[in-house]
Amino acid sequence: MKIKILSVFVAAFFVGCASNVQNIDASKQRISLLELNIKQDASSLPSNAMNANFSEEEILKKRFGVFELKGKRLEPNEVFWAFRTYWPNEKKTYYSSNFRPIPQSWFDAQKDNANFAALGGISMFALTAANTALRNFPTDEPIFLNPQTPGEGYPFDYLQESTLSIAHPLFVSHFSKDRAWAFVSDDAVWGWVKVEDIKFINDETAKSYAKQKFISVKVDKTPVYDKYGGFLFYARVGGILPFLSEDNENFYGQVFTRAGLRDYKISKQAASNFPLKFNDGNVKTLINSLLNQPYGWGGVDKLRDCSLFTKDMLASFGVWLPRNSRAQASVGKKIELKGLSDEIKAQIIKEQGVPYLTLIHLPGHIMLYAGFKDADIFVVHDAWGLKTASNGRALIGQTAITTLEIGKDRGDIERSNLLIAKIDSMNIIKPSSDADQSAKISALKRAYGVDIRENLVIFKDGSTIVFDDFKQKDDECTQGADVQDMNALDYAAFAPLGTTLSDAGRCRNYELLGKIYGSSENEVRANLVDIVWLKDSLNLKLKFNSKNGAAQALQAVSNELDELAKSDPALLEYLKNPGGTFKWRIIAGTNRLSAHSYGIAIDINVAKSHYWQWSSGYQNLIPEKIVRVFEKPKFIWGGRWRHFDTMHFEYRPEMFE
C-alpha cells in the first residue's frame, strides 16, 4: 500500500510549526511573553452546533495501511529525505544542546548507522509498545540551528519528527547498524524508533489486530493500569486502543508493552468507543485536556506542535490528517485566502467555516477554527509565538485559545505579523462517507472501463494495478498519484468562473493512463487520429487519442464552438493558433509527464492565456462560454486550478459525477 512521506516545509518563522532556518543577529534577540487575554478553558469558546457521527473506516484504513507495505518497492530518495534536508552546508550550521557546533563527522556517523543498504531487509510489522519518539536520524541527540537566536534552540530539535502513541501500527523496514533503532513507517511518515519501544507481530496477528474494536482517549496523559493496579502507560489523545470488553465504569483490553502483552483497564471518563461522537461536549473535553500544554516541536518530550495537535484532536473523531501543516491544509474543501484583505478573510471564515472541522493555514502553521463571537474569530492551536520588531518573538508557547488578532495591541508587533494577516487558506474537513467513496469509485470504473476490487484496478486483459497506495500526497501529487488520487479532489464543473480554485485533476496515475491511452510515445502515436478543429471557421487538423472516447469528445467540442463562433466571432481570438494537443513531454520543473503526452489535452491560444509560473496572481481572459462547451463532454479546465493554466483543457471523464 502506501509509503508515507512527510512533506518538508520550512518557512519564515511566524507561529510555531516552522522556524526560520537563517541565523539572526544575536544582538537583535528579544523574547517576551504574549498575553493571553482569553480564559484558557473551553467554556470560553463558541458552542459547536453540529452533532454527528463520522465513519471509522477512513482513519483505520490509513492506520492499518502499513500492513500492506510488505513486498512494496521502497524509494531511498523518498524515505531517507531527512539526510538531505538536515545536513550541514556552507550556509547552515547545526548546534548541539551545549551550544557548540556539531562536526561533520557526527553527521557522517549518523548516516552510516542509518544503514541505507539494508532498506527493506526486515520487512516486518510491529506495534508501538510505549509512547515513543519518531526521529529523523537513529539517535536521541538533538540538533538545533543557532540556539541564541529567537525561534531556534529548544524545542526546535530538527531530528524530532513526531510522537507515536502506544499500540500504533508500524511497518519495519530494517535496523540501524547498531541495531538499537528500527526504520519504520506509520500512517503518515517514515522515521526511526527505538527497538525497545516496538513489538514485532506476524502477518496473522496484524490481520486480526486491524479487526478489533477500539476506543478513543478523551483525556490526555491518563494513567492506565493493569488489573492489579500496576502502572502501564499514559494514554494520549489521538491514541486508538484495542479493547475486549466493557462494563459501566471501564473498558478492558490488552496491549503490548515493553514488558510484553498486558491486560489493562481505563475509565469511561477518560475514554469512549471509537470514534467519538462529534458534539460540543466531546470537542470541549478534548480541548480542555490539551490546553496549556507546552509547545513541542515535532512532538518533542511527548508534547505537540500545531499539526500534531490537530492530527490527534481530530483522530479521536475518526478524521485522518497528514502529519505536517501544509499537507493538512489540502484536506477537504480548500478555500484560498491569500492576497485578500484582513476584513475579507474574516468575512469568508465566518460565513463558510465549520467550527472544529475547519483548519486555518498560514505558512508553517495550522489552527483549528472554533467559531466567532461578535467581531472576534476564535482558534485553538499549539503555537510558539509572533514575530516582533527587530526579529524578536512574543511567545505563546503552548496549546491556547486565541483570536486571529492576538497581539494587535502591542506596539512591537506590526499588523502584517498578526495571524489574520498571514493566513493564506482555510479548509473544511468533511470525512468521506461510504456513499461518497463509492460514487468516486463508480466514476472511475465508468470513465475507464475497469473494475475495482480489493484495492486493485482490474483491466479487461486481466492485468492489475494498485488502487490506493496510501501515500501522503499534496494536492499536486508531486510524489506521484495512485488511481484513487485522480478524482480525490472535487472538480467544480459548470460552476461560475469565480469559484474557489483547487488543483482537482492535476493528480494523474500514469500506470492507468498508460494502459488506456498508450504507455510509450510510440504506443500513443499509434492511437492518434485527426480531429478537425473548427471546420468552418479555422479548418485545422489536430492529433488526439482515439481511445476511451477522447478524440470523439474533442470533435464534439470543436463542432459546438464552430457554431458558436458564427454568431459570436470574437470567440475565435481565443481558439485560433491553438498551442497544440499531442506532445510527449514532462511538465516543466517536474519529472511528471504532461497530459499532452497521452494525446488527451489541448492548449488553446497561448496569447490569450495565463499560466501560474508566468503571471503575478490569478488572471483569466477565457470566456465562460468556451469553458462550458469543453466541460459538457468531460474536459477539465486548467483555469479552475490553484496552479492555473487557462489555455489548458484535458479529457478527464472521471471528474464529472
Side-chain angles (χ1 to χ4, degrees):
M1 277 193 160
K2 213 163 248 216
I3 304 169
K4 297 84 168 173
I5 305 297
L6 176 64
S7 300
V8 179
F9 181 64
V10 183
F13 178 81
F14 292 104
V15 186
C17 277
S19 181
N20 190 349
V21 299
Q22 302 298 319
N23 291 339
I24 302 170
D25 185 348
S27 66
K28 297 180 178 181
Q29 177 178 196
R30 184 171 182 267
I31 295 177
S32 60
L33 295 180
L34 188 59
E35 186 176 356
L36 302 176
N37 295 319
I38 299 169
K39 180 183 179 183
Q40 294 302 297
D41 186 278
S43 61
S44 304
L45 293 168
S47 296
N48 167 40
M50 184 177 291
N51 195 332
N53 289 304
F54 296 134
S55 171
E56 66 186 31
E57 182 177 353
E58 178 183 11
I59 190 169
L60 293 184
K61 185 179 181 182
K62 295 286 189 181
R63 289 220 173 180
F64 297 117
V66 294
F67 293 159
E68 304 290 334
L69 284 177
K70 187 177 291 187
K72 303 298 181 182
R73 184 174 180 272
L74 306 179
E75 294 291 341
N77 287 336
E78 292 184 358
V79 299
F80 294 127
W81 61 268
F83 287 90
R84 299 190 307 274
T85 304
Y86 304 120
W87 203 255
N89 55 49
E90 294 180 354
K91 298 181 179 180
K92 188 164 58 177
T93 299
Y94 288 102
Y95 297 79
S96 183
S97 55
N98 63 3
F99 284 46
R100 295 183 179 275
I102 302 173
Q104 181 64 50
S105 58
W106 184 91
F107 287 89
D108 295 338
Q110 293 299 322
K111 188 172 183 178
D112 179 67
N113 194 38
N115 203 12
F116 288 9
L119 180 66
I122 295 177
S123 193
M124 293 182 64
F125 307 135
L127 299 169
T128 53
N131 299 319
T132 188
L134 190 70
R135 304 285 292 168
N136 286 318
F137 291 2
T139 179
D140 280 325
E141 297 179 56
I143 65 170
F144 305 104
L145 291 173
N146 192 339
Q148 301 190 54
T149 63
E152 300 297 351
Y154 183 86
F156 298 102
D157 170 11
Y158 289 93
L159 296 188
Q160 180 64 27
E161 187 169 9
S162 196
T163 287
L164 304 178
S165 300
I166 193 170
H168 201 98
L170 300 172
F171 171 78
V172 182
S173 160
H174 68 284
F175 292 138
S176 58
K177 283 188 176 180
D178 63 11
R179 303 188 67 80
W181 296 83
F183 190 60
V184 305
S185 175
D186 77 335
D187 58 290
V189 296
W190 283 93
W192 296 92
V193 298
K194 291 181 178 178
V195 171
E196 66 187 31
D197 286 348
I198 62 175
K199 170 64 179 179
F200 286 98
I201 57 176
N202 58 31
D203 292 13
E204 184 178 344
T205 302
K207 186 178 293 186
S208 64
Y209 186 84
K211 295 179 180 179
Q212 293 193 50
K213 297 182 295 182
F214 297 92
I215 55 174
S216 291
V217 179
K218 296 196 297 184
V219 179
D220 201 49
K221 298 182 180 179
T222 295
V224 178
Y225 304 96
D226 64 21
K227 59 185 177 181
Y228 305 108
F231 175 81
L232 292 175
F233 59 91
Y234 288 110
R236 292 170 53 86
V237 166
I240 300 174
L241 300 174
F243 79 100
L244 300 172
S245 63
E246 61 183 299
D247 56 28
N248 291 333
E249 296 182 352
N250 300 303
F251 291 101
Y252 303 89
Q254 292 182 325
V255 294
F256 287 106
T257 70
R258 291 172 177 149
L261 190 63
R262 291 291 185 270
D263 295 315
Y264 79 86
K265 68 176 181 180
I266 187 170
S267 167
K268 287 191 171 180
Q269 294 182 343
S272 185
N273 291 90
F274 175 79
L276 284 179
K277 189 176 185 67
F278 187 84
N279 57 33
D280 191 65
N282 283 334
V283 166
K284 290 181 176 176
T285 294
L286 264 65
I287 289 174
N288 271 335
S289 174
L290 298 171
L291 281 175
N292 303 310
Q293 290 187 7
Y295 174 82
W297 165 273
V300 67
D301 294 335
K302 309 296 189 301
L303 299 170
R304 293 173 175 85
D305 56 20
C306 64
S307 53
L308 190 55
F309 163 74
T310 51
K311 181 176 176 66
D312 284 351
M313 175 79 188
L314 292 180
S316 304
F317 301 103
V319 179
W320 183 86
L321 291 178
R323 177 60 184 91
N324 71 85
S325 58
R326 185 171 67 168
Q328 289 185 0
S330 297
V331 175
K333 178 185 177 182
K334 186 170 184 176
I335 300 171
E336 292 290 339
L337 301 174
K338 187 176 182 180
L340 302 179
S341 69
D342 294 353
E343 292 75 18
I344 296 297
K345 289 178 184 178
Q347 180 182 345
I348 294 173
I349 292 169
K350 288 179 178 180
E351 290 177 351
Q352 300 192 45
V354 178
Y356 311 105
L357 285 176
T358 299
L359 302 179
I360 298 177
H361 179 265
L362 61 153
H365 190 57
I366 200 94
M367 303 173 285
L368 184 67
Y369 171 65
F372 63 93
K373 293 181 180 180
D374 300 322
D376 292 326
I377 296 174
F378 287 75
V379 290
V380 187
H381 53 140
D382 213 323
W384 187 241
L386 301 182
K387 185 177 180 180
T388 65
S390 300
N391 285 320
R393 297 294 183 272
L395 297 187
I396 297 173
Q398 65 182 56
T399 307
I401 301 168
T402 73
T403 71
L404 291 180
E405 293 192 317
I406 184 174
K408 68 178 180 179
D409 298 326
R410 285 188 45 154
D412 61 343
I413 299 177
E414 297 179 358
R415 180 78 191 180
S416 60
N417 286 325
L418 297 182
L419 296 172
I420 186 72
K422 294 295 180 183
I423 290 169
D424 58 16
S425 70
M426 60 185 285
N427 53 303
I428 303 166
I429 298 169
K430 294 182 178 179
S432 301
S433 68
D434 292 343
D436 291 337
Q437 181 67 359
S438 177
K440 289 182 179 292
I441 290 174
S442 295
L444 284 160
K445 291 165 70 173
R446 287 192 294 272
Y448 298 108
V450 298
D451 193 12
I452 300 176
R453 289 184 279 114
E454 297 180 351
N455 204 39
L456 291 175
V457 180
I458 306 169
F459 297 92
K460 291 179 180 179
D461 63 3
S463 61
T464 63
I465 60 175
V466 171
F467 172 67
D468 184 0
D469 63 11
F470 299 106
K471 291 182 182 178
Q472 179 178 308
K473 310 290 176 39
D474 56 26
D475 49 3
E476 302 175 68
C477 294
T478 54
Q479 298 293 334
D482 57 35
V483 177
Q484 184 193 46
D485 295 325
M486 289 184 63
N487 64 344
L489 296 177
D490 294 328
Y491 177 74
F494 309 110
L497 299 198
T499 301
T500 302
L501 305 173
S502 83
D503 279 328
R506 293 191 80 207
C507 290
R508 308 176 183 92
N509 179 265
Y510 298 110
E511 287 185 288
L512 184 142
L513 295 178
K515 289 287 294 186
I516 302 299
Y517 299 112
S519 60
S520 67
E521 182 175 0
N522 287 337
E523 285 187 13
V524 174
R525 285 188 180 278
N527 293 329
L528 299 178
V529 296
D530 288 331
I531 70 105
V532 182
W533 184 243
L534 277 65
K535 181 180 179 182
D536 296 336
S537 304
L538 301 174
N539 196 29
L540 301 175
K541 287 186 178 180
L542 301 176
K543 298 290 186 182
F544 220 67
N545 206 304
S546 63
K547 299 296 183 179
N548 202 44
Q552 183 179 358
L554 184 60
Q555 190 63 69
V557 169
S558 173
N559 294 343
E560 185 169 351
L561 289 175
D562 207 17
E563 291 301 313
L564 279 178
K566 293 174 183 177
S567 58
D568 189 359
L571 294 178
L572 291 176
E573 286 298 312
Y574 305 94
L575 303 170
K576 67 182 183 180
N577 303 320
T581 52
F582 169 73
K583 185 176 183 180
W584 189 270
R585 63 174 178 84
I586 62 172
I587 303 169
T590 78
N591 60 357
R592 307 189 306 277
L593 282 172
S594 164
H596 290 278
S597 300
Y598 297 97
I600 58 171
I602 179 173
D603 289 342
I604 59 176
N605 192 352
V606 178
K608 293 291 184 177
S609 303
H610 293 88
Y611 184 53
W612 70 275
Q613 290 191 345
W614 305 339
S615 305
S616 178
Y618 182 85
Q619 299 177 65
N620 174 54
L621 296 174
I622 308 300
E624 188 168 351
K625 283 183 182 179
I626 293 176
V627 175
R628 293 196 177 277
V629 170
F630 269 99
E631 288 181 336
K632 284 181 188 178
K634 303 180 179 180
F635 282 81
I636 63 174
W637 176 46
R640 297 198 188 277
W641 290 341
R642 185 164 59 88
H643 293 79
F644 56 91
D645 185 358
T646 66
M647 71 189 84
H648 183 86
F649 292 89
E650 180 178 335
Y651 183 62
R652 291 287 293 280
E654 80 278 12
M655 305 295 296
F656 293 80
E657 283 294 321

